Amino acid sequence: MNSVRAHSLRKYEILRGSSSVSKLFSSARSYRGNFIKVLFAPLEVTWKGHRALPKVLFIVGRKIKPDAVDRNRIKRLMKEAYRHEKALATECAGKYAGNGDRILCIAFMYIGRKKNSPSLGSFRKEIRALLEGIKSMAQC
């Protein structure tokens, strides 16, 4: 696989649709880091696409960051950090999806309260730790 393509975040990898998001929030397990909370659940596939890749959602609340510029920057940093740790996310998806018609859906929710947002390196460490936590939960 081309290394540029391996680190990309394609449109079909983003979780979209209110019904899919509401299913995720109603049946999700959660895992919390320092400034990101992750919600994840294997959901039934109602769309055609790549089952080996998880569907992801990035959330920054308006109450946490009132300025849209700050929210968009944090989402960009989370997406970039996720792109670099995507190989680990693919391993997690393989453990949860199995052979059936299920796909792993993940929501990364920013919960940091500091005035300054963390750096890209901090986001990478946090997302890597959260994905390793998801992977370890699949084994128990």
Side-chain angles (χ1 to χ4, degrees):
M1 181 182 270
N2 189 357
S3 66
V4 173
R5 182 159 257 194
H7 291 296
S8 64
L9 184 62
R10 310 298 292 182
K11 190 174 182 177
Y12 54 80
E13 295 177 53
I14 303 292
L15 183 64
R16 299 183 192 279
S18 60
S19 64
S20 298
V21 173
S22 64
K23 282 181 191 175
L24 174 64
F25 276 90
S26 65
S27 64
R29 294 171 65 186
S30 66
Y31 194 71
R32 186 180 173 131
N34 294 332
F35 51 89
I36 296 176
K37 181 178 181 181
V38 66
L39 303 167
F40 60 97
L43 299 177
E44 293 293 323
V45 174
T46 57
W47 54 83
K48 294 180 182 174
H50 302 273
R51 291 190 181 143
L53 299 172
K55 296 268 189 181
V56 292
L57 178 67
F58 300 95
I59 304 165
V60 181
R62 193 180 301 158
K63 287 185 179 180
I64 301 230
K65 289 291 181 181
D67 294 333
V69 174
D70 294 336
R71 286 195 307 271
N72 291 338
R73 177 168 171 67
I74 290 171
K75 284 182 194 177
R76 276 197 313 272
L77 288 172
M78 283 197 300
K79 286 177 186 177
E80 184 71 17
Y82 173 78
R83 283 184 338 97
H84 288 288
E85 305 301 334
K86 195 163 121 177
L88 186 57
T90 305
E91 288 178 31
C92 293
K95 290 193 179 284
Y96 275 94
N99 307 2
D101 289 340
R102 299 174 79 78
I103 190 166
L104 181 63
C105 296
I106 305 172
F108 293 100
M109 187 180 309
Y110 181 77
I111 55 172
R113 293 283 183 182
K114 293 183 180 178
K115 267 199 171 218
N116 297 334
S117 62
S119 65
L120 178 61
S122 299
F123 274 111
R124 282 188 69 179
K125 286 179 189 174
E126 183 84 8
I127 287 181
R128 183 162 196 54
L130 291 171
L131 288 172
E132 287 174 351
I134 291 172
K135 188 177 171 185
S136 67
M137 283 186 185
Q139 294 172 351
C140 45

